[in-house]
């Protein structure tokens, strides 16, 4: 891990550890052994929504309770006199655009509009939760926790419920690792005002819709 996150870019992302992958396969294998019908019965469509809700709930609780330190390039540590958290660099650009939207000036930061959909998303979160950074991150993380759920449906569509559970669990643990090293590595996590994870969520939703469309011969 680099000592100066602002001076090193395009490095490798945060990996999953070997024991985490092993635990996921053991956990999912235990589920398949104890409840084989839940994994294999294609007629239990309603069970998919129950499982998906549980995946979102677990992701939300785990990510929200994963400790992090506000001392990264994009979120410097709070300083005197007010000890507030203020986004910096790219995160500041997105949030400033959201703030100008809130006061009725459109995307008023600079000549080029950067990440307008994400800035609009932040503006909506500000409308709901105000200006407190912790509240904003709570809301954003709760929304982004849909990502493992979408991956579950993708795995379910392309393989099986077992594949969907493995994909969702891997996603949850990888984000935990990312949150833990936010203050020491140049990474983007659910607790930063960055567009990487929202973009991944959007791409996963588009992929799910596309594969579902291609799989349905009548509508294709």
């Amino acid at each position: 891990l680099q000592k100066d996150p602002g001076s090193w870019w395009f490095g490798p992302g945060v990996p999953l550890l070997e024991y985490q992958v092993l635990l996921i396969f053991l956990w999912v294998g235990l589920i398949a052994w104890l409840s084989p019908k839940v994994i294999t019965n294609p007629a239990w469509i309603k069970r998919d929504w129950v499982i998906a809700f549980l995946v979102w709930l677990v992701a939300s609780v785990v990510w929200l309770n994963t400790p992090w330190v506000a001392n990264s390039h994009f979120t410097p540590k709070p300083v005197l006199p007010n000890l507030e958290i203020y986004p910096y660099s790219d995160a500041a650009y997105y949030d400033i655009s959201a703030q100008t939207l809130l006061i009725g000036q459109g995307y008023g930061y600079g000549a080029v509009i950067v990440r307008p959909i994400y800035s609009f998303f932040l503006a909506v979160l500000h409308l709901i939760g105000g200006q407190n950074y912790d509240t904003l991150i709570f809301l954003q993380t709760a929304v982004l926790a849909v990502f493992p759920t979408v991956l579950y449906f993708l795995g379910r569509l392309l393989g099986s419920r077992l594949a969907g559970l493995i994909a969702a669990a891997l996603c949850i643990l990888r984000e935990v690792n990312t949150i833990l090293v936010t203050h020491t590595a140049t990474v983007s996590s659910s607790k930063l005002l960055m567009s990487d994870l929202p973009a991944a969520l959007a791409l996963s939703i588009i992929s799910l819709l596309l594969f579902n469309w291609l799989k349905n011969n009548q509508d294709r």
Side-chain angles (χ1 to χ4, degrees):
L1 299 178
Q2 74 271 26
K3 295 182 179 179
D4 182 9
S7 63
W8 186 67
W9 305 102
F10 308 113
V14 177
L16 283 161
L17 303 178
E18 292 87 348
Y19 81 89
Q20 292 177 322
V21 177
L22 179 61
L23 285 176
I24 288 173
F25 278 92
L26 290 175
W27 168 69
V28 175
L30 182 63
I31 293 177
W33 179 64
L34 294 176
S35 305
K37 289 185 179 181
V38 174
I39 300 298
T40 59
N41 194 332
W44 291 0
I45 298 177
K46 292 183 179 180
R47 296 292 178 93
D48 287 324
W49 290 102
V50 174
I51 295 173
F53 173 76
L54 292 176
V55 167
W56 171 81
L57 185 62
V58 170
S60 298
V61 172
V62 171
W63 291 358
L64 288 170
N65 286 279
T66 301
W68 73 294
V69 179
N71 188 22
S72 70
H73 178 74
F74 302 107
T75 307
K77 64 181 179 181
V79 295
L80 294 172
N82 54 355
L83 296 176
E84 291 283 347
I85 297 177
Y86 295 106
Y88 179 72
S89 187
D90 293 21
Y93 301 153
Y94 309 149
D95 199 41
I96 289 174
S97 293
Q99 300 291 355
T100 57
L101 280 173
L102 290 174
I103 61 176
Q105 293 187 2
Y107 295 99
Y109 186 80
V112 178
I113 300 174
V114 181
R115 311 292 189 271
I117 297 177
Y118 180 62
S119 293
F120 178 78
F121 170 70
L122 289 180
V124 173
L125 295 187
H126 278 300
L127 282 175
I128 299 172
Q131 297 295 332
N132 183 270
Y133 190 87
D134 290 333
T135 303
L136 191 69
I137 291 304
F138 176 88
L139 295 173
Q140 174 174 270
T141 302
V143 174
L144 296 179
V146 176
F147 187 25
T149 299
V150 178
L151 293 183
Y152 165 75
F153 279 117
L154 268 173
R156 173 72 179 88
L157 181 67
L158 300 176
S160 64
R161 291 189 180 95
L162 196 63
L165 286 174
I166 291 173
L170 290 172
C171 176
I172 292 173
L173 286 185
R174 185 185 184 280
E175 180 61 17
V176 169
N177 295 348
T178 303
I179 294 172
L180 289 173
V181 301
T182 298
H183 64 292
T184 56
T186 308
V187 295
S188 176
S189 72
S190 59
K191 298 193 176 184
L192 298 177
L193 302 187
M194 299 294 291
S195 62
D196 304 72
L197 197 55
L201 172 58
L203 288 173
S204 67
I205 293 174
I206 293 172
S207 299
L208 178 61
L209 294 174
L210 179 62
F211 283 123
N212 188 63
W213 172 63
L214 290 173
K215 198 169 184 178
N216 191 331
N217 292 325
Q218 294 180 350
D219 293 339
R220 194 170 60 203

